[in-house]
Amino acid sequence: MKSTAHSDNTILSLSDLSVSFNHEGTEHMAVNHISFDLQRGSTLGIVGESGSGKSLTSLAIMGLIPKPNGIINNGSIQFYASNGDKTDLLKLPETEMRLWRGKKIAMIFQEPMTSLNPAYRCGKQVMENILEHEKVTRNEARIRTLDLFREVMLPDPEQTFNAYPHQISGGQKQRVMIAMALACNPDILIADEPTTALDVTVQKTILELLRLLQKKHNISLIFISHNLDVIAEIAANVLVMYRGEIVEKGPIEQIFNHPQNPYTKGLLACRPPLGKRPQRLKVIADFTERSGNIDDTFITQSERSLFHKKLYSSDPILITEGINTVFTTKRNIAGKPIKQYKAVNNVSFEVYPGETLGLVGESGCGKTTLGRTILRLIEPSSGNTIYKNIQVNNLKADDLRNLRKKMQIIFQDPYSSLNPRITIGEAIIEPMRIHKLHGNDNSRRAKVSDLLQKVGLEASHYGRYPHEFSGGQRQRICIARALAVEPEFIICDESVSALDVSVQAQVLNLLNDLKKEFGLTYLFISHDLSVVRYMSDRLMVMKNGEIKEMGEADEVYTNPQSEYTRLLLDAIPKGVVL
């Protein structure tokens, strides 16, 4: 898909760019003959799933394609200076390209925690970038860094300057990365998924900050995301990438209102809709692979009311009574706690058999701690958890281990919760052995094969390792492992937050299918209120360790009672109004 002739206002022009990777002697095309122009002072959005080639395109612009396996096969990347001079970035030697990075073109990488050096203070890392490109003293670089921290609205610039990355929040780390990218007044700023791992409220502030800085400094911005709703918050024009190609491009209103490519239609359709509740979420394959009518069945309010009447007529499967979880953050020389943090503060609620109870809140609100406290993966400071009339907090180790057959958890990060040294089949069979289920290993292996197929994988995947799977596939493996001990109650802890929107829809549909098939009950934890609302029968909103609001999910969503819930709702990207 080639661009038209560029205008006098063009600052960057990619023409017929192709990038491939050599893997074990086989060449794989990752970016396939793409062309586009970036206009001076404008914001261009690039959207697509993981593996679509969008991040690789940005790395090609920065001259950071991994060597020696990465190969730029053909094409050009022309940078146009304000005086009309042009430079093909692909022809610059590495020594010269190093001078361009940060000075002319800067990049905000996707994960600030892995992009910032954990061994150096935040201020020093920004100073290094200034000292590399500018002829200034260390004191001048320090003053410039503090000014940048103020400009990106960090709450305490001096404190952040002296802090290590692990000592500040995710949103603050992202602001440090933005300050680092702006340090040398670049002409072009590439933001690669800068809000993906952030809460919706923090995401909103980062988007507002980027808009402000882009306008103030007349920066040309390339904003990369897998979420078209997020792109619509910041970009006027958008490119849609799929399998290394640009399949559609144009003004954001045109892409939202009149998408032409099936893949674009799928991206728009797979997020939970804001105003209604479908039976199933649509997925990309509904548009790109399957023929026939796409299911547009929605659940009516009367159907939900009838279901809830039956659901809440039974006794609760789980009750929490005044749960408190307190962490000691500082002790005196004698070991006595002198500073404590209450992560969960007097929380009480019930969960009914067959229910999905949603729990939503920002990072640090205590929702993950609450989930782990219920299972006694973290010991409560006080309060009770009662599961089917069993006092969980009073159980001895052996009894607690037996109860965990019925109470399971799916963790947020599927990669870190799987042992990279054992195959996924062995990871799923392990809890069966611990709990002595299914008689012998032959029967257990047959059960693993069945579970893999239940979650949409193949029995032949048994002998593969976690790194051989995508993020969505790894999450399916973790779901299969949770099901291996035949539980009744599962805590889903941010189990879809790191996934592309299309993969997220697949996993949410899977969780609902498994709930019906196995009669499961869920506590569904997330910072994304629209996802929680779609999944949940009732919804709890948590802040600072306390439950601020609780009620029927649609009612909380449409008629929030607390100011904090209204803040969360306001922060959800709305896309373009159709």
Side-chain angles (χ1 to χ4, degrees), residues 234-248:
I234 195 168
N237 293 283
V238 63
L239 309 174
V240 182
M241 291 193 69
Y242 180 56
R243 295 181 178 176
E245 299 182 354
I246 297 173
V247 296
E248 192 161 358

Side-chain angles (χ1 to χ4, degrees), residues 16-223:
D16 206 30
L17 179 71
S18 293
V19 181
S20 64
F21 279 88
N22 191 304
H23 179 67
E24 296 180 351
T26 303
E27 189 174 349
H28 300 274
M29 190 66 70
V31 175
N32 191 11
H33 298 283
I34 70 166
S35 302
F36 66 84
D37 290 350
L38 174 66
Q39 303 304 309
R40 199 176 304 276
S42 70
T43 300
L44 175 68
I46 302 180
V47 70
E49 298 173 281
S50 296
S52 64
K54 58 188 190 300
S55 293
L56 201 57
T57 300
S58 69
L59 292 176
I61 295 170
M62 294 291 293
L64 294 174
I65 295 294
K67 304 285 179 65
N69 293 334
I71 304 163
I72 295 180
N73 301 81
N74 57 271
S76 66
I77 301 177
Q78 298 284 356
F79 178 91
Y80 293 87
S82 55
N83 64 3
D85 291 344
K86 66 177 182 179
T87 304
D88 189 344
L89 302 183
L90 295 183
K91 293 182 179 178
L92 290 178
E94 174 58 25
T95 52
E96 193 171 343
M97 188 64 198
R98 192 177 297 122
L99 300 176
W100 279 65
R101 290 189 207 109
K103 183 67 176 175
K104 294 288 187 181
I105 308 174
M107 187 166 177
I108 305 166
F109 292 94
Q110 179 171 355
E111 177 46 65
M113 192 61 213
T114 55
S115 302
L116 292 171
N117 191 323
Y120 290 92
R121 299 182 192 275
C122 294
K124 183 177 180 181
Q125 297 188 55
V126 178
M127 280 180 59
E128 281 184 350
N129 195 32
I130 298 171
L131 292 168
E132 175 74 19
H133 295 284
E134 306 284 349
K135 294 180 180 179
V136 296
T137 66
R138 293 193 68 83
N139 187 54
E140 288 171 331
R142 183 181 187 279
I143 292 170
R144 168 72 175 147
T145 298
L146 289 170
D147 287 342
L148 284 165
F149 283 180
R150 294 185 190 97
E151 190 171 13
V152 300
M153 301 177 190
L154 281 161
D156 190 334
E158 288 279 359
Q159 182 176 324
T160 306
F161 186 96
N162 294 308
Y164 290 96
H166 73 273
Q167 295 176 310
I168 58 177
S169 70
Q172 290 173 333
K173 282 193 279 282
Q174 197 60 281
R175 288 171 188 266
V176 170
M177 288 293 298
I178 294 171
M180 188 182 299
L182 294 175
C184 297
N185 300 311
D187 297 299
I188 297 173
L189 178 61
I190 302 172
D192 184 13
E193 299 270 15
T195 63
T196 296
L198 303 179
D199 297 328
V200 286
T201 50
V202 181
Q203 173 180 267
K204 183 180 180 182
T205 62
I206 294 296
L207 291 173
E208 290 172 347
L209 175 63
L210 286 172
R211 276 196 298 266
L212 177 69
L213 295 171
Q214 189 261 345
K215 185 176 181 180
K216 179 180 177 181
H217 298 286
N218 196 35
I219 294 170
S220 306
L221 177 63
I222 297 176
F223 189 95

